[in-house]
Amino acid sequence: MQHTLDPKAPAAGRKAAEAGGRTARFAKPFRDYWKYKYLTMLFIPAAVYYFIFHYVPIYGVLIAFKDYKFSLGIMGSPWVGFEHFRELFGLGSFWQVFRNTILISCYKLMFGFPAPIAFALLLNEIRLSVFKKFVQTISYFPHFLSWVVLGGLAIQFLSPSIGPVNLIMQAFGMKPIYFLGSTEWFRSVLVATDIWKELGWGTIVYLAAIAGVNPELHEAATVDGANRFHRMRYITLPAMAPVITIMLIFAVGRLVNDDFDQVFNLYNSAVMEVGDVLSTYTYRMGLVNMQYSFSTAVGLFKNLIAFALVLTANAAAKKYNEYGLW
């Protein structure tokens, strides 16, 4: 209900009308929740999960500002302020790890982000449904395997002595390469194996966006003489723009969030210089060296940068087009 305020009305009446309007605006969402109560009930388990495992642990961020002692607990440990952050920023090893994280993430963004988009466009052009489903199934499968399994397969395939890749290279007269022990090749292996694992799964979102394109647009373009490439460029890609923008914002926010499982299962001491990233560094400092406060400071610093990157990417997306997270 809208309230028309008469400027000549008594002040008390105007205030009452304004209060009634605010109450109606706040009450409407709750009425909607009750109207769709069964859908709301489906949402409750997800909300409980995120509250317990994503919001309650934020309490542990206090460790970054304390000299945490396990025997004293979080509240009983003494405050040290920003001492751990000053120590962190003064370590050359930290900046090397930070640089490795940014470089590897940028390579994944550069080569890994466009890969599922291109793959979805190619899959959409396949007319033989049986072959299309077969390719989709094969491409999705690695996503459901852990990096323990995929890491073992990658180690075997890239082995300099028995790996098929090096055996083929030797058959052409080339020298074998120890890919996982070479500082020149290790980052390339990380990018390639990440694309291998997530290519098919990332394609699902883009295929859903393509499915929402009005078929009449393609029919009209065909009548006007447009070939497949033209329809892909001027119809399909623009229809995917909102999804691509949102996924790009998420990808930019993950620039400092590396894949611990992947790196931990593939790296070794020979490539530590180029392969050690923030998550493995935090693991060693926190669980191996038991410097809990220091490792928490590393994690908090990383999350703050990720949050800033998401805000910046969203603002840039809203500036150049109307799509964004909010």
Side-chain angles (χ1 to χ4, degrees):
M1 177 182 297
Q2 295 182 348
H3 298 273
T4 302
L5 299 181
D6 184 359
K8 297 182 179 180
R14 289 201 303 270
K15 290 181 179 179
E18 291 174 356
R22 287 194 296 267
T23 302
R25 286 196 299 271
F26 286 122
K28 186 179 184 301
F30 293 99
R31 289 199 301 268
D32 292 340
Y33 290 144
W34 178 251
K35 180 179 179 181
Y36 303 105
K37 52 183 175 295
Y38 297 112
L39 293 177
T40 304
M41 290 173 62
L42 293 176
F43 171 75
I44 290 176
V48 171
Y49 164 79
Y50 276 97
F51 177 76
I52 294 176
F53 295 102
H54 291 267
Y55 284 92
V56 173
I58 293 178
Y59 166 74
V61 168
L62 292 175
I63 296 175
F65 305 96
K66 292 194 168 195
D67 184 15
Y68 177 71
K69 304 294 183 184
F70 184 78
S71 58
L72 300 177
I74 296 178
M75 298 308 297
S77 300
W79 290 92
V80 295
F82 293 94
E83 179 181 337
H84 298 299
F85 292 94
R86 287 192 291 268
E87 179 185 358
L88 176 67
F89 298 146
L91 290 176
S93 59
F94 168 75
W95 292 113
Q96 177 64 37
V97 168
F98 185 75
R99 177 176 177 272
N100 291 340
T101 304
I102 294 298
L103 282 176
I104 293 172
S105 298
C106 285
Y107 292 152
K108 288 183 178 180
L109 180 64
M110 188 184 307
F111 298 102
F113 181 77
I117 300 175
F119 191 58
L121 291 172
L122 294 175
L123 279 178
N124 186 58
E125 297 301 321
I126 297 177
R127 294 294 174 259
L128 187 60
S129 60
V130 176
F131 179 70
K132 182 178 181 179
K133 292 179 180 178
F134 173 76
V135 173
Q136 284 181 287
T137 303
I138 295 300
S139 64
Y140 296 162
F141 183 68
H143 172 80
F144 299 99
L145 298 178
S146 70
W147 273 114
V148 176
V149 176
L150 293 179
L153 290 174
I155 291 171
Q156 292 298 318
F157 270 85
L158 300 176
S159 170
S161 56
I162 62 173
V165 175
N166 276 297
L167 291 177
I168 294 173
M169 292 173 59
Q170 292 180 63
F172 285 94
M174 303 169 65
K175 294 182 179 180
I177 300 174
Y178 187 16
F179 292 98
L180 294 176
S182 171
T183 55
E184 297 178 358
W185 285 96
F186 184 72
R187 289 171 179 165
S188 300
V189 171
L190 290 180
V191 174
T193 52
D194 182 73
I195 294 174
W196 170 41
K197 187 176 190 296
E198 302 297 340
L199 176 65
W201 186 253
T203 304
I204 295 176
V205 177
Y206 300 111
L207 285 175
I210 293 174
V213 179
N214 190 346
E216 294 180 357
L217 295 176
H218 288 281
E219 295 173 1
T222 303
V223 172
D224 290 338
N227 55 31
R228 287 190 176 186
F229 178 77
H230 291 150
R231 297 200 306 272
M232 184 188 301
R233 179 180 178 183
Y234 296 107
I235 298 177
T236 308
L237 271 177
M240 297 169 64
V243 176
I244 293 175
T245 301
I246 293 174
M247 298 302 291
L248 181 60
I249 294 172
F250 287 144
V252 171
R254 290 194 297 268
L255 282 177
V256 291
N257 291 326
D258 49 81
D259 194 332
F260 171 78
D261 291 337
Q262 179 195 23
V263 178
F264 186 77
N265 282 283
L266 292 178
Y267 83 153
N268 53 71
S269 58
V271 295
M272 193 75 74
E273 178 184 352
V274 298
D276 195 19
V277 292
L278 284 172
S279 61
T280 54
Y281 184 75
T282 305
Y283 164 77
R284 288 199 313 277
M285 301 302 291
L287 296 181
V288 178
N289 298 336
M290 292 187 292
Q291 299 182 21
Y292 302 115
S293 296
F294 184 82
S295 61
T296 304
V298 176
L300 180 58
F301 173 73
K302 180 179 70 172
N303 291 332
L304 288 175
I305 292 182
F307 181 66
L309 287 173
V310 169
L311 293 179
T312 304
N314 186 73
K318 294 290 286 185
K319 181 178 180 180
Y320 292 103
N321 58 54
E322 67 274 17
Y323 309 120
L325 295 177
W326 57 83

